[in-house]
Amino acid sequence: MKKYIFITLAICMFAFNSCDYASLDVDPNRATSTPPSLIMNGVLLNMRTGAWNSPMRWNQYFCINYNYYGTNEYWSGSAVLDYTRLKNVQKMEEEAIKAGAAAVNPYAAVGKFLRAYHFVNMTQKVGDLPLLESLNGLENTAPKYATQKEIYIQVLKWLEESNSDFAALIQKGGQKVDGDWFYDGNLVKWQKLVNSFKLRVLISLSKKENDADLKIKQLFADVLSNPAKYPVFTSNADNLQFISKAPLYKYPKNPDNYGFDALRENTSKLYIDLLKKYQDPRLFVVAEPAEADIKAGKSPLDFESFNGASSGESLDDMTFNAQKGVYSLINRKRFYATYEGEPLVQVGYAEMCLNIAEGINRGWASGDAESFYKKGVLASMDFYGIKTGNLTVSFAKPGAVLGIFDNFTLPVNTDTYLALPVVKYAGNSVSGLTQILEQKYLAMAQGNDLEAYYNFRRTNIPAFLKGVGTGNGGQIPLRFRYPNNELTTNAVNLNEALTRQFAGKDDVFGKMWMIQ
C-alpha cells in the first residue's frame, strides 16, 4: 500500500513541477484590461465642477444665511489633490497602447491636456508639488517636490504637445475619442479647448510676465497670431461644460431642494453691486428684488430694488436681515424650476475673450482689446439668453410655493448697454483693465470652480469683501494647506518645500510663487 502511495505522490510532484505556475494566478473570470473609452468616461466625470457649492461661496456669488446649512467662512485646512485622477489618466493612456493605438492617439492627446489641467488645479491650491515622480506609485512613495515654476513649464509643454498631437490626428482624419461625453469625441473641439485653456494659464501667470524661462508674452502672442496652428473657441458652443441630466445627475438647485434652500441662501453684495454698477440686465435673470424693497413700493425692475449680503457679515446679522427680506434671493424661477438647470461651465468662450482682452491690455500682443471685451460681455449675456429685444423675467411671489411667479418684460438693447459710460471700454489703461476683470468675474458666475477667486488673488479685482463672516480672523486665505498624509508619508520632501516657499510654515496666508 505504501508503495502505491509513494508512486502517486511522485506522479503528482512531476505533474506540478511540469506545470506553468503563473497560470494558477490567473482568474479567468477577472478582466485583465479595460477599454480606454470606459476609463475616459470616468476621468471626465471626475473632473467636472459644480455650482451652488463651497467654491461658489468662496467666489462670493452667494451666501448661506442659515447656519444649519453651513457658513460663509473660507477654509483653514488642507486641499484635496488630484493624484488619483491623474493615475486614472495614466491608465487610460496605457490601455489605449495595449489595445494597439499608435504613440500619437486621441487618448494620449487628451491625456496631456488632462495632466496640465489637473496640475494647474493642484498647484494653484497649495504651491510646489511632486510632479513627474508622483505617478510612479509603489516605485516611489516619497517623490520630491518640483517648484511651482517647474510645474508651469511642464504644463505649458504638455499643452503644446497636446495641440500638436490633435493637429496631426485631425489632419489624418477619421479619429475620435470614444467615451467622451463633453465633446462627443470631436478632436477639433478638444484642440480649441487646449489652446483656450492655455490662454487662461498664461493670464494666471501675469505677475511673471517678464520671466525669461516662461516666455509668457511670446506664447500668448503666438496663439493670437497663428489661429491655424492654435485654434481657440469661437462661440459658447465650444464651452467645456457639464449639463445635468435627471434622474442620474440633477442640477444642484431643483424642485426637490426648493423647500430647504430657497430662503436660506441669498445673493452676495459683491456680485449684486457689480451688476448694479454696470446697469446690467443679467441682474434680473440671476436674482430677485429684495422683498423689503418691493413692500416699500420700489419697482421690481429698479436696479436699486436688489441687495446682496456681504460675505464678511456675521451670520447672525445675515440671518436677521434675510428674515426681514433685506436681501435678494437667488432667482427661483431660473435655478429651482427644473432638474436640468443651466450648463456648468468649466472653461468658457466668454472668459477666453476677456482673457485675450486682458493680455492685449497688458501689451502682450497686438490686437483690438475692445473687440474681445465686447465679445466676452455679449457671450456672457447670450449664456443667460439675453439679446436685443424684449426679455421676460420672472420673480417668485413672496411666500409662494414653487411655480407661482410674476412675469415682467424688460426691453434690452445690447448696443446701448455696451455704449453706457460705465460699460464702454476705457482703453488699454488701468481703468480698462478693471472693466475687463470685473466683467470676467460676472461671466464666471456658473461653474469655473475657484477661478474667480484665483483672479481676485492675482489682481485684487474685484476686491472681495471680508469680515467676521469669512472666518480666519476676518481675512481671506491665499492658499490651502498640504494634505495631512504628506506629513506621514513624505515629510522630508514636504518640509523642504515648505522651507523653500513659506519659511517652513504650512500657512494658509503664505504667498506662493505665482502671485509674488
Side-chain angles (χ1 to χ4, degrees):
M1 183 71 178
K2 289 182 179 180
K3 179 178 179 182
Y4 290 115
I5 293 174
F6 287 137
I7 293 173
T8 303
L9 287 173
I11 293 172
C12 289
M13 290 176 65
F14 175 79
F16 272 92
N17 285 333
S18 64
C19 284
D20 179 4
Y21 285 98
S23 65
L24 299 177
D25 294 329
V26 177
D27 183 349
N29 298 313
R30 186 183 298 244
T32 58
S33 63
T34 305
S37 59
L38 186 60
I39 303 175
M40 172 82 159
N41 192 295
V43 163
L44 297 186
L45 191 62
N46 286 332
M47 73 173 284
R48 78 192 192 281
T49 56
W52 309 110
N53 51 11
S54 295
M56 195 166 170
R57 288 202 307 278
W58 294 332
N59 288 331
Q60 298 201 2
Y61 291 117
F62 83 108
C63 303
I64 286 178
N65 62 45
Y66 190 69
N67 63 9
Y68 183 81
Y69 288 89
T71 71
N72 303 303
E73 294 183 2
Y74 284 77
W75 64 88
S76 59
S78 60
V80 175
L81 301 181
D82 298 349
Y83 285 109
T84 298
R85 297 177 182 183
L86 282 163
K87 289 178 181 178
N88 288 335
V89 171
Q90 182 172 276
K91 184 64 175 175
M92 175 187 74
E93 296 168 331
E94 292 171 353
E95 291 296 331
I97 295 296
K98 282 174 60 177
V104 176
N105 65 76
Y107 295 104
V110 170
K112 288 171 183 174
F113 166 77
L114 292 174
R115 288 167 187 265
Y117 184 90
H118 285 299
F119 269 105
V120 166
N121 179 47
M122 294 192 296
T123 190
Q124 287 195 116
K125 289 180 179 178
V126 295
D128 295 0
L129 283 169
L131 185 56
L132 298 178
E133 293 182 1
S134 63
L135 302 180
N136 291 337
L138 296 177
E139 297 175 15
N140 187 352
T141 57
K144 292 182 179 180
Y145 279 62
T147 66
Q148 193 169 54
K149 177 177 176 177
E150 290 169 337
I151 292 168
Y152 272 104
I153 289 173
Q154 180 61 56
V155 161
L156 292 169
K157 180 181 178 183
W158 276 325
L159 292 175
E160 182 68 26
E161 291 174 352
S162 180
N163 176 67
S164 296
D165 287 355
F166 278 124
L169 292 166
I170 291 167
Q171 185 176 27
K172 184 177 180 181
Q175 303 290 307
K176 186 178 180 181
V177 193
D178 291 328
D180 165 30
W181 42 263
F182 270 129
Y183 290 131
D184 195 27
N186 189 322
L187 301 191
V188 172
K189 286 187 177 290
W190 273 102
Q191 188 183 21
K192 289 181 178 181
L193 169 63
V194 168
N195 296 307
S196 301
F197 179 73
K198 183 177 183 178
L199 292 173
R200 175 195 280 186
V201 172
L202 294 170
I203 284 293
S204 75
L205 296 170
S206 62
K207 288 187 175 294
K208 303 301 177 182
E209 63 179 4
N210 294 319
D211 189 295
D213 298 318
L214 290 168
K215 301 181 178 66
I216 302 297
K217 298 177 185 178
Q218 178 185 324
L219 294 177
F220 186 90
D222 287 347
V223 173
L224 265 60
S225 64
N226 197 343
K229 182 177 181 181
Y230 300 107
V232 297
F233 292 163
T234 56
S235 73
N236 284 333
D238 293 327
N239 290 350
L240 180 73
Q241 60 188 23
F242 178 76
I243 299 176
S244 304
K245 295 290 185 182
L248 191 59
Y249 298 105
K250 297 178 182 178
Y251 186 72
K253 298 297 177 205
N254 60 67
D256 292 349
N257 54 36
Y258 178 83
F260 297 97
D261 298 345
L263 300 180
R264 293 163 182 153
E265 296 173 346
N266 47 254
T267 57
S268 76
K269 179 177 175 60
L270 179 64
Y271 185 38
I272 295 301
D273 282 2
L274 269 181
L275 289 166
K276 289 164 66 174
K277 170 184 174 179
Y278 285 106
Q279 298 290 286
D280 198 307
R282 284 172 285 185
L283 176 64
F284 303 100
V285 176
V286 301
E288 295 180 354
E291 184 177 335
D293 285 288
I294 299 304
K295 288 180 178 179
K298 289 184 180 179
S299 166
L301 299 182
D302 183 345
F303 282 96
E304 295 309 312
S305 297
F306 292 76
N307 302 289
S310 169
S311 300
E313 185 177 33
S314 78
L315 194 54
D316 287 342
D317 289 343
M318 192 181 296
T319 300
F320 178 74
N321 289 329
Q323 290 173 347
K324 290 171 58 180
V326 171
Y327 299 132
S328 294
L329 297 174
I330 298 161
N331 189 300
R332 286 171 279 180
K333 170 68 171 178
R334 182 171 186 88
F335 296 113
Y336 285 100
T338 71
Y339 290 97
E340 182 169 303
E342 62 189 28
L344 303 177
V345 179
Q346 294 182 229
V347 184
Y349 173 66
E351 178 209 345
M352 184 210 74
C353 290
L354 292 161
N355 283 336
I356 293 174
E358 180 179 345
I360 295 173
N361 178 287
R362 292 181 180 278
W364 293 3
S366 60
D368 186 354
E370 182 174 19
S371 175
F372 284 103
Y373 169 77
K374 289 180 177 179
K375 287 178 182 178
V377 173
L378 292 177
S380 178
M381 287 188 167
D382 180 65
F383 175 84
Y384 291 105
I386 300 172
K387 297 179 174 65
T388 295
N390 288 328
L391 175 68
T392 300
V393 294
S394 302
F395 307 128
K397 286 182 178 293
V401 297
L402 183 63
I404 302 178
F405 303 97
D406 285 325
N407 297 321
F408 301 88
T409 299
L410 180 71
V412 174
N413 187 305
T414 57
D415 290 336
T416 301
Y417 173 78
L418 291 172
L420 290 173
V422 70
V423 180
K424 184 175 174 57
Y425 184 58
N428 295 341
S429 61
V430 173
S431 296
L433 181 59
T434 297
Q435 290 174 308
I436 291 168
L437 293 169
E438 289 181 344
Q439 287 286 355
K440 192 188 300 185
Y441 176 82
L442 295 178
M444 292 194 297
Q446 285 296 312
N448 289 286
D449 200 44
L450 283 170
E451 199 59 30
Y453 159 79
Y454 293 142
N455 273 271
F456 150 74
R457 185 179 66 178
R458 174 175 65 93
T459 67
N460 199 39
I461 299 173
F464 278 23
L465 304 178
K466 54 191 178 182
V468 63
T470 57
N472 293 290
Q475 299 299 313
I476 297 175
L478 296 177
R479 58 179 294 273
F480 291 82
R481 291 192 171 97
Y482 286 101
N484 293 329
N485 61 2
E486 281 293 275
L487 290 171
T488 55
T489 61
N490 199 10
V492 172
N493 290 316
L494 171 60
N495 288 326
E496 180 186 22
L498 289 173
T499 300
R500 180 170 62 237
Q501 297 175 96
F502 312 118
K505 185 179 180 182
D506 196 0
D507 184 4
V508 295
F509 297 107
K511 203 169 186 179
M512 62 181 66
W513 168 85
M514 70 183 298
I515 57 172
Q516 291 176 0

